[in-house]
Amino acid sequence: MKNTYKAVEVSAPGVLRVVERQVSEPGAGQVRIRVEACGICHTDAATVTGTHPGLTLPRVPGHEVVGRIEALGSGVSRWKIGQRVGVGLIAGEDGVCEPCRRGDTVNCQNPVVSGVTADGGYAEVMIAEARAIASVPDELTSVEAAPLLCAGITTYNALRNAGLRGGDLVAVQGVGGLGHLGIQFARRMGFRTVAIGRGRDKEKLAKDLGAHEYIDAAAEDAAAALQQMGGARAILATGTSGAAMGPLVSGLAARGKLIVLGVPEDQVQLSAFPLVFGGRSIYGSLTGTPIDNEDALAFSVLENIRPMIETLPLEQAADAYARMIQGKARFRMVLVTKDGVAQGAPLN
Ligand SMILES: NC(=O)c1ccc[n+]([C@@H]2O[C@H](COP(=O)([O-])OP(=O)(O)OC[C@H]3O[C@@H](n4cnc5c(N)ncnc54)[C@H](OP(=O)(O)O)[C@@H]3O)[C@@H](O)[C@H]2O)c1
Ligand SMILES: [Zn+2]
Ligand SMILES: [Zn+2]
């Protein structure tokens, strides 16, 4: 086997370049994965622009990674060589901080973060913490599974942890990588599902994905439209604009929840009135744990949920990333390695 592999690294802010790296052995508690597919999440922008706190360059981005285990570090017994696995964003808790000691490992204060503290999946090979990987079911191809490991789990977990009941009105703001999966999860979990986008061009796609209703936030006041429908029990805010999030609180029913998933650069401004009068709330939600990822994958198989993707070869990562940033992806760009192609992954 070749002892080098191709990776796409951020060598300087804004520069994604293809490099050749030495294959290294996984350390204790780690596995080495031969990557087949990696989705491009909007969060990768924090690595590509070099703005993520604590980031040092060069760094390989990517945290929607699917591949096969090809080497086990010492002490790894749960996983087998050849097994197909996935890696998400929060890729290894320290186990000793206060949230970890309370069992809240996704909020670890010192986690391994794929593509930020450790090299991620824009590569033919990735070293991952064995405690952070998820098993990928046979029913999903690698390119289908990849976006579920961040965009999927993030919307799936936010919905299933929101204390909702069947038939509740749930809105998904933003029809992008996260949003198009959030719409599918909300519909399949049994909620009256409303998609909120900008313009009419995504309306049909949103309805095809399962939205019962579509609100064009460019043409009408989204909060008023939600109130006309009775008010949302929950809104998943997946957009990249803080200015667009705050006013949504007024679209919630009494005790409704605005769940912030997007991480905009601008501030979220809030009026206290709808929060206080009606007991509404706003909080954030961060991806999930490896076992949550297995749940998200299993639910996707169960309910036939699949990401809508565009695939490109790993070497074209810069083009794929640009398409995502420009909002042109429908709806997730997925990078495919030569091993992914060998396993049958499509390229378009
Ligand atoms: N919480 C978490 O754990 C987590 C996990 C993954 C990603 N994220 C964050 O979630 C956000 C979305 O990620 P993604 O991968 O889905 O991104 P994406 O595929 O690039 O989609 C961007 C979304 O932002 C919306 N948007 C852009 N500009 C907007 C504006 N001015 N007003 C309202 N909406 C606007 C777009 O809405 P339209 O449909 O209207 O065009 C689109 O739905 C990012 O901030 C990312 O960092 C968070
Ligand atoms: Zn992500
Ligand atoms: Zn911790």
Side-chain angles (χ1 to χ4, degrees):
M1 199 195 305
K2 249 176 77 181
N3 64 353
T4 63
Y5 67 97
K6 265 193 194 122
V8 178
E9 66 174 32
V10 181
S11 49
V15 182
L16 278 167
R17 68 170 188 173
V18 182
V19 292
E20 201 77 18
R21 292 190 168 195
Q22 287 293 317
V23 174
S24 60
E25 293 309 312
Q30 295 181 325
V31 298
R32 192 173 73 227
I33 296 169
R34 200 39 76 168
V35 177
E36 294 178 9
C38 184
I40 298 188
C41 177
H42 205 103
T43 304
D44 295 346
T47 299
V48 176
T49 57
T51 52
H52 199 292
L55 175 75
T56 53
L57 299 179
R59 181 60 81 212
V60 177
H63 57 261
E64 292 185 337
V65 196
V66 177
R68 278 168 218 271
I69 297 178
E70 63 170 9
L72 302 172
S74 64
V76 178
S77 55
R78 202 182 177 285
W79 304 96
K80 294 191 198 68
I81 303 246
Q83 195 170 353
R84 204 162 55 115
V85 296
V87 192
L89 181 71
I90 305 299
E93 70 282 8
D94 65 1
V96 297
C97 72
E98 173 151 344
C100 280
R101 291 177 64 214
R102 294 187 187 280
D104 186 13
T105 53
V106 78
N107 288 314
C108 177
Q109 292 168 350
N110 186 34
V112 176
V113 183
S114 305
V116 177
T117 71
D119 285 328
Y122 291 18
E124 291 172 345
V125 167
M126 176 181 174
I127 302 274
E129 302 297 318
R131 65 189 183 286
I133 59 184
S135 179
V136 174
D138 291 343
E139 291 88 341
L140 297 170
T141 65
S142 296
V143 289
E144 288 170 342
L148 296 170
L149 296 166
C150 181
I153 189 182
T154 300
T155 48
Y156 168 79
N157 250 9
L159 286 168
R160 72 170 177 164
N161 294 330
L164 296 163
R165 299 195 296 179
D168 279 353
L169 182 66
V170 169
V172 178
Q173 181 241 4
V175 188
L178 266 62
H180 92 286
L181 284 164
I183 291 166
Q184 296 186 64
F185 285 124
R187 174 68 187 248
R188 302 306 205 290
M189 286 182 189
F191 306 128
R192 186 177 163 207
T193 304
V194 182
I196 305 173
R198 298 166 303 152
R200 288 276 158 204
D201 61 316
K202 291 183 183 171
E203 177 171 8
K204 182 172 183 313
L205 284 168
K207 288 192 169 161
D208 289 347
L209 291 164
H212 294 98
E213 318 272 356
Y214 180 86
I215 297 171
D216 174 4
E220 58 182 323
D221 178 343
L226 287 172
Q227 284 303 346
Q228 274 187 350
M229 296 175 195
R233 303 296 313 174
I235 303 173
L236 299 191
T238 79
T240 51
S241 160
M245 281 184 191
L248 293 174
V249 172
S250 301
L252 292 168
R255 303 218 176 270
K257 300 162 182 181
L258 177 65
I259 309 173
V260 177
L261 300 181
V263 192
E265 283 170 23
D266 59 324
Q267 302 276 307
V268 180
Q269 298 223 357
L270 294 169
S271 162
F273 280 91
L275 290 175
V276 175
F277 294 91
R280 298 174 180 85
S281 56
I282 170 168
Y283 62 91
S285 180
L286 176 63
T287 65
T289 63
I291 195 77
D292 290 333
N293 246 332
E294 292 189 3
D295 291 350
L297 295 169
F299 187 80
S300 301
V301 170
L302 184 71
E303 287 297 324
N304 202 25
I305 290 165
R306 298 290 184 276
M308 195 180 281
I309 58 170
E310 297 177 24
T311 54
L312 277 178
L314 171 68
E315 293 77 1
Q316 292 177 36
D319 296 339
Y321 174 82
R323 233 178 122 65
M324 181 280 295
I325 282 291
Q326 291 159 10
K328 291 183 181 158
R330 295 289 177 273
F331 281 99
R332 201 50 139 193
M333 302 306 301
V334 179
L335 300 174
V336 179
T337 64
K338 65 177 180 344
D339 286 278
V341 173
Q343 296 289 343
L347 284 172
N348 51 16

